[in-house]
Amino acid sequence: MLTSYAAHFDTPAGYLDFARFGPPSRDAVAATARAMEESARADHTTVDGLMRAEATARDTAARLAGTDSGHTVLLPNASTGMFHAALGIPEGVVLAPRTDFPANHYPWRRSADLGRAVPRWLTPAPGAGVTPGLVRAALTDDVVAVSVSAVDFRTGFRTDLAALREAIGPDRLLIVDAIQAFGVARMAWDAADVVVAGGQKWLRAGWATGFAALSDRALESLEPVLTGWTGVEDVGLFDGTEHPPAPDAQRWSITNLSPVTAAALAAALDLVERHTVAAIEAAIAARIDELTEVVRERGGHVLSPTDPVRRAGILSFTMPDHDPSVVAKSLHAEGVTPTVRADSLRLSPHASTPPEASARVAAALSSLRG
């Protein structure tokens, strides 16, 4: 456990569902409360003052993504970013994994419905994700982009973004959903042309938070189909005419976001930056090692990669002869919160998760034998 980081949270010891939702820190809660309190006492300075949180959050997100604020824009969620990318490709084929989270399917389906980019679905091997070999085998001249998750939501498989970039070459777009990785896994974000992430999971910023980072290639080739009034030049000029899209990532802005959620995101990103992704990643890896050993020693079947290079903070498993719902009840009885699927269970610890969590899981799985 990263003690200095954990001190900012009140999350129960047995909470192991960060891949679904990350309970926010006291810092994020306080920032939210302050913003609401300030808005309740509004005067002529309030709105402009509150809006400064957006720039703070954007700047920090940009640094963590290895870029700058001109290539970064805040978004209300990852799905908005995926729709921007999908509708911005005028034509061609996009390779995307069939096993990805549904939020990453519908943007491409809607793009095809509108006669724009068409998805070609990839089928990764069981327990794996999108690999350079899988992509190379599917590449044809009409492929203009590859869309992947940085970390697979089912198994925690970590995608090698740098190797994918090498496989697809410099001219195709690499579009990455980073929601299961950003802030907790060191990855080659600079290999991607589009990085989108929501803040409600591992970043622990709460719902309605997120951002996108765009490369120069993305800014040049993606049409700004969804640009709104806040994504254009001369935003403050209300002259009744259509303004050209902003020259930078701000062109992905549709309207003003909540300064309250921006304040929460700024606080959450600040915690990550101060404690470092490397330290957070190492603490999570230690918990994953412990939990993997616990599951295996009690007869569980691990579905996630075991190679530390290929895995992130997700441990998926089954208990032979036990329905996942029955296993979940045992875990709940020990104060453990997993993700429960129809065919498996998923444990996802964070850097604040104490060793006690592994002991709780051990007790729960041991009780199944009785």
Side-chain angles (χ1 to χ4, degrees), residues 8 10 24-38 50 204-205 259-260 263-268 271:
H8 293 267
D10 296 315
S25 64
R26 288 192 295 276
D27 308 59
V29 172
T32 300
R34 283 195 302 272
M36 287 296 289
E37 289 167 358
E38 289 172 16
L50 289 173
R204 308 178 75 164
V260 176
L265 180 59
L271 269 184

Side-chain angles (χ1 to χ4, degrees), residues 3 40 71 80 100 107 124 141 206 241 255 266 274 280 302 329 336 352 363:
T3 306
H71 291 81
T80 297
D100 215 341
D141 290 343
T241 66
T255 189
R274 282 193 284 128
I280 292 171
V302 174
K329 288 181 180 178
V336 175
S352 59

